[in-house]
Amino acid sequence: MLNFNVPVVKSSTGEPVWKVLIYDRFGQDIISPLLSVKELRDMGVTLHLLLHSDRDAIPDVPAVYFVMPTEENVDRICQDLRTQLYESYYLNFISAISRSKLEDIASAALTANTVSHVSKVFDQYLNFITLEDDMFVLCNQNKDLVSYRALNRSDITDTEMETVMDTIVDSLFCFFVTLGAVPIIRCARGNAAEMVAVKLDKKLRENLRDARNSLFTGDNLGAGQFSFQRPLLVLVDRNIDLSTPLHHTWTYQALVHDVLDFHLNRVNLEEAPAVESSPSGARPKKKNKKSYDLTVADKFWQKHKGSPFPEVAESVQQELESYRTQEDEVKRLKTIMGLEGEDEGAISMISDNTAKLTSAVSSLPELLEKKRLIDLHTNVATAVLEHIKTRKLDVYFEYEEKLMSKSNLDKSLLDIISDPDAGTPEDKMRLFLIYYITSAQAPSEVDLEQYRKALEDAGCSLAPLNYIKQWKAFAKMASAPASYGIGAAKSKGLLSRVMNSGSQLVMEGVKNLVLKQQNLPVTRILDSLMEVKSNPETDDYRYFDPKMLRGNDSSVPRNKNPFQEAIVFVVGGGNYIEYQNLVDYIKTKQGKHILYGCTELFNATQFVKQLSQLGQK
């Protein structure tokens, strides 16, 4: 797209064509996790501006637009054509533009006499945000529209629900057009995920039937990674597992998302101001905000984002030590290079060391980049560690793991809730909700009253509990609660090892918990559908194949072979814990791939907030 919708060919001069990129907020969210400003510049983008900002005319430059086909955007594009802002216009719409809006643009171009300037109009079908090579989320701008709360409101009207479904289906359709594959769709019955499945099946079917304009034929199909075998799309509803999004976690990426402000691959940290003796009465210094991008290019992040936190702390330390050794080597060479007086010995050594120095100098950029990453992860990990220590998150994590795997508990839930030093009110609420969701029979009214009082004394709002109570009563009628892998009841062998005291990240008092790989409900569902195993959880799942001429709804899969590629999509919101669990699962399967997607990515704080809104009387 940035190359005017033609494949990139390295030109002999190596100079890209300079251009302006115009996007709306949706386009911005799609591009920002993928391309840095520097990469945009390498592709010839000199300026990147929001569509609805005041833009000056640049008459001799082509402009690439990347926007949603909304009413306001189309009006603004027409206005740009009238004022002849740019030399030529390449219009790319994030999802398909309607015929009537296209006609609006055409008539504006006619009246402004700029028809020849509109070089290309494309539907890009890119209405989703890619966060990792194997993870995507639908939208960020209007995520309240497709949030868990929106899907589970008791007062939602049918027309509102239609809008929500259409939004989700439009994005999923874009996703499969981009992937260049028509999936086989499986979903449970009687929930929002089923509604999505029915609509998506219909939309894919209609597109395949219109052979002339089908997006799944011809060139772009071979481009998909999965040319010969079709992927499986498993649509699951958030309601099959409400404990995981509330769970305190222990792996690096999920922790960053849980306790820090981490959004579209960028983490924002507040730096504590240096403690200087400021004169009394002086205004306290403002906290500095720093933001870091945690991207695919960050080797440390890629390697450790799924590791347990104590391991990450140790790796940061090791990286730092190896960096110091390299740095000392450069310093040592500098000293030898005759900077210390001109004696005979130094001169004979210079010739040997020139070669060494040359290699040291050429490794400098690499060294600086390494230093930047070490500093970044030291800051991020320290911020995470602060939270772990002040909120006793290791205690919560361990306790919840035991609840979820039904093992013996070493202390009573009431103790943790009423311990003023353990965690924030929200931490306590999360713990209690997990207990409530996972317990086979609900606590008696007397016990519940006791818990209620303890939670209120700890400063918790009980609104989320009201919603979960209704939900549990309803879910009980529908089906048995999801199990979290029985038999994980062995104690995890807690090694509380104190890290070497030289480390900057003092893990003292934080338990070094060893993770036991156990599949979460979503992973288990995927496993039985991908491997085509019989399983009471999934035997009743509906089966859609948009390529079959007659859409007969059967739950009998045609395909008896295990799938090589699967996409898991959670309707109602996903999280990094589930993503990580799937990544760990697929590592054990040779040659198979999984992609994880969700309507929105929320952390526990955001999820609790949605539950409160649902539970407010």
Side-chain angles (χ1 to χ4, degrees):
M1 177 180 92
L2 293 175
N3 199 38
F4 308 116
N5 299 308
V6 290
V8 180
V9 184
K10 281 271 184 281
S11 59
S12 50
T13 52
E15 275 291 294
V17 180
W18 300 111
K19 56 186 113 30
V20 185
L21 173 64
I22 313 285
Y23 45 60
D24 59 359
R25 294 263 175 230
F26 286 90
Q28 188 178 24
D29 288 340
I30 293 168
I31 294 173
S32 73
L34 297 174
L35 295 166
S36 65
V37 175
K38 180 186 176 306
E39 288 168 307
L40 285 175
R41 192 161 302 132
D42 294 343
M43 292 172 172
V45 175
T46 48
L47 272 178
H48 41 99
L49 306 161
L50 278 166
L51 178 65
H52 295 283
S53 58
D54 293 332
R55 291 173 279 116
D56 299 328
I58 312 177
D60 49 355
V61 170
V64 174
Y65 286 72
F66 184 51
V67 295
M68 284 294 266
T70 60
E71 205 69 47
E72 309 85 43
N73 287 355
V74 168
D75 290 349
R76 186 61 193 253
I77 291 171
C78 295
Q79 190 187 320
D80 288 358
L81 290 170
R82 277 187 219 106
T83 45
Q84 305 196 2
L85 284 186
Y86 307 110
E87 175 198 53
S88 54
Y89 304 83
Y90 292 82
L91 306 177
N92 296 278
F93 295 100
I94 296 173
S95 66
I97 185 170
S98 66
R99 175 81 201 217
S100 62
K101 290 193 182 123
L102 210 49
E103 285 168 0
D104 295 346
I105 296 179
S107 61
L110 270 172
T111 46
N113 201 5
T114 49
V115 177
S116 58
H117 297 212
V118 180
S119 310
K120 285 184 181 170
V121 181
F122 263 84
D123 285 335
Q124 288 292 0
Y125 292 100
L126 285 173
N127 191 11
F128 58 93
I129 299 172
T130 310
L131 293 176
E132 306 270 347
D133 294 343
D134 49 5
M135 179 184 201
F136 67 101
V137 34
L138 287 201
C139 53
N140 169 46
Q141 286 305 317
N142 53 355
K143 62 174 176 219
D144 295 343
L145 176 68
V146 295
S147 64
Y148 178 81
R149 174 173 171 242
L151 291 164
N152 291 280
R153 273 179 23 221
S154 50
D155 56 352
I156 189 166
T157 63
D158 287 355
T159 39
E160 285 174 318
M161 197 58 167
E162 284 293 296
T163 316
V164 174
M165 289 298 140
D166 289 339
T167 311
I168 296 175
V169 170
D170 179 65
S171 284
L172 280 172
F173 181 73
C174 288
F175 176 78
F176 285 107
V177 172
T178 303
L179 206 60
V182 180
I184 283 170
I185 307 171
R186 302 295 307 268
C187 68
R189 294 170 187 273
N191 56 25
E194 181 184 31
M195 292 159 76
V196 172
V198 172
K199 273 187 178 283
L200 181 63
D201 175 62
K202 180 166 172 271
K203 188 158 181 156
L204 287 165
R205 200 174 276 285
E206 283 165 4
N207 191 272
L208 288 165
R209 199 171 293 142
D210 176 6
R212 242 196 11 219
N213 299 320
S214 174
L215 296 157
F216 293 98
T217 48
D219 322 333
N220 53 359
L221 261 193
Q225 328 154 264
F226 324 138
S227 35
F228 48 94
Q229 201 194 12
R230 290 168 59 195
L232 164 74
L233 168 65
V234 181
L235 285 166
V236 290
D237 194 293
R238 181 71 274 159
N239 283 319
I240 58 160
D241 169 17
L242 289 184
S243 346
T244 304
L246 295 165
H247 190 20
H248 287 86
T249 166
W250 203 235
T251 57
Y252 191 28
Q253 185 174 30
L255 266 169
V256 168
H257 187 230
D258 187 5
V259 302
L260 304 177
D261 170 14
F262 180 54
H263 185 64
L264 295 181
N265 293 352
R266 166 169 292 180
V267 63
N268 295 309
L269 291 183
E270 283 200 345
E271 299 211 314
V275 189
E276 288 162 19
S277 51
S278 52
S280 55
R283 285 218 310 268
K285 283 211 178 109
K286 234 179 73 208
K287 285 190 166 176
N288 280 345
K289 272 211 144 94
K290 287 203 94 159
S291 63
Y292 302 106
D293 289 314
L294 298 172
T295 58
V296 183
D298 180 338
K299 303 256 189 345
F300 186 89
W301 178 243
Q302 286 309 313
K303 189 171 165 196
H304 294 291
K305 64 185 183 193
S307 312
F309 189 73
E311 235 171 78
V312 175
E314 214 163 317
S315 308
V316 171
Q317 190 55 26
Q318 285 164 359
E319 291 282 311
L320 189 61
E321 278 160 17
S322 88
Y323 165 75
R324 284 191 180 136
T325 339
Q326 280 174 287
E327 195 184 38
D328 291 346
E329 176 64 6
V330 175
K331 283 188 185 144
R332 197 180 65 81
L333 288 167
K334 252 163 86 180
T335 347
I336 294 172
M337 288 307 278
L339 302 177
E340 305 286 281
E342 303 288 309
D343 58 10
E344 299 298 292
I347 291 166
S348 64
M349 283 173 80
I350 285 179
S351 51
D352 304 343
N353 281 308
T354 313
K356 278 190 192 165
L357 191 71
T358 318
S359 81
V361 168
S362 62
S363 69
L364 266 178
E366 198 182 306
L367 207 58
L368 289 170
E369 175 59 9
K370 199 168 178 180
K371 174 88 170 84
R372 187 186 71 81
L373 290 181
I374 292 169
D375 290 347
L376 184 161
H377 287 286
T378 307
N379 291 343
V380 173
T382 311
V384 170
L385 186 61
E386 249 336 84
H387 283 276
I388 294 179
K389 283 180 165 170
T390 50
R391 291 161 54 184
K392 299 198 177 165
L393 297 185
D394 48 339
V395 177
Y396 278 95
F397 167 71
E398 189 192 356
Y399 199 86
E400 288 165 13
E401 285 279 293
K402 287 183 176 165
L403 281 174
M404 287 160 91
S405 63
K406 312 260 188 289
S407 35
N408 307 332
L409 303 171
D410 46 2
K411 54 173 163 246
S412 87
L413 185 62
L414 217 50
D415 289 353
I416 299 188
I417 294 174
S418 35
D419 173 359
D421 294 337
T424 59
E426 186 184 88
D427 290 323
K428 298 178 184 197
M429 196 67 212
R430 283 163 64 178
L431 173 67
F432 182 71
L433 290 176
I434 290 176
Y435 159 71
Y436 192 85
I437 292 166
T438 53
S439 58
Q441 60 273 352
S444 68
E445 277 306 313
V446 182
D447 289 355
L448 196 57
E449 207 31 66
Q450 225 185 339
Y451 284 128
R452 270 219 168 96
K453 188 174 171 343
L455 286 164
E456 278 190 314
D457 292 348
C460 304
S461 139
L462 294 180
L465 179 59
N466 300 336
Y467 172 74
I468 293 289
K469 269 182 80 168
Q470 300 162 5
W471 170 82
K472 186 150 181 161
F474 178 74
K476 218 187 205 100
M477 301 184 318
S479 65
S483 71
Y484 290 81
I486 312 294
K490 292 191 284 297
S491 107
K492 298 225 170 38
L494 298 181
L495 316 162
S496 52
R497 236 176 8 133
V498 182
M499 302 241 329
N500 53 0
S501 48
S503 162
Q504 289 177 312
L505 298 167
V506 186
M507 299 289 288
E508 217 165 337
V510 175
K511 297 177 173 169
N512 186 357
L513 301 166
V514 184
L515 288 177
K516 183 170 186 311
Q517 174 59 29
Q518 52 186 11
N519 291 339
L520 294 172
V522 172
T523 309
R524 272 210 320 285
I525 289 169
L526 170 87
D527 176 53
S528 41
L529 292 172
M530 197 170 177
E531 302 294 337
V532 200
K533 300 176 186 164
S534 175
N535 176 341
E537 255 182 308
T538 56
D539 284 347
D540 191 35
Y541 270 45
R542 290 184 63 175
Y543 177 92
F544 297 90
D545 181 349
K547 281 193 170 176
M548 298 295 292
L549 283 172
R550 284 184 310 288
N552 53 354
D553 155 44
S554 66
S555 53
V556 184
R558 293 282 158 83
N559 184 348
K560 291 281 183 276
N561 303 328
F563 288 89
Q564 294 303 306
E565 274 89 23
I567 296 105
V568 180
F569 186 81
V570 189
V571 179
N575 54 64
Y576 282 110
I577 307 179
E578 234 157 36
Y579 163 67
Q580 195 50 55
N581 193 257
L582 283 163
V583 170
D584 293 341
Y585 157 82
I586 208 71
K587 275 184 193 149
T588 61
K589 308 270 177 225
Q590 211 59 52
K592 298 200 170 197
H593 300 285
I594 289 189
L595 304 172
Y596 177 74
C598 49
T599 42
E600 62 165 334
L601 194 61
F602 46 52
N603 62 14
T605 310
Q606 293 155 336
F607 188 46
V608 169
K609 195 165 152 196
Q610 291 194 29
L611 294 177
S612 304
Q613 289 166 333
L614 285 164
Q616 266 151 9
K617 289 278 192 289

